[in-house]
Amino acid sequence: MPSISDIKKPEEIVSMEMKDNLKFGVLIGLLKVGEVSNREVVNTVLHLVSVLHLLFIL
């Protein structure tokens, strides 16, 4: 069983160093089983938008 420190929020998953398809697979899986709140989904999307914005500015 994972410890509390191993549990990640969706926005933390998106910012982790791993392949994008794996990140989105994890998020899609969490959405399908209802393990994320609407607020977490919104925070994750906002994080993605901010990261993409930074990538296009640089």
Side-chain angles (χ1 to χ4, degrees):
M1 180 165 202
S3 69
I4 295 295
S5 64
D6 292 336
I7 298 172
K8 305 285 185 228
K9 293 181 180 182
E11 57 267 19
E12 293 172 324
I13 293 171
V14 173
S15 64
M16 291 173 66
E17 290 291 324
M18 67 172 78
K19 292 184 179 182
D20 287 341
N21 60 345
L22 181 58
K23 292 178 191 179
F24 285 105
V26 170
L27 290 172
I28 290 168
L30 290 171
L31 285 168
K32 284 183 178 180
V33 297
E35 288 296 318
V36 291
S37 68
N38 289 339
R39 181 183 194 125
E40 290 173 316
V41 172
V42 169
N43 287 341
T44 301
V45 170
L46 291 174
H47 177 78
L48 285 171
V49 169
S50 67
V51 168
L52 288 173
H53 182 70
L54 288 174
L55 288 174
F56 287 111
I57 287 176
L58 301 174

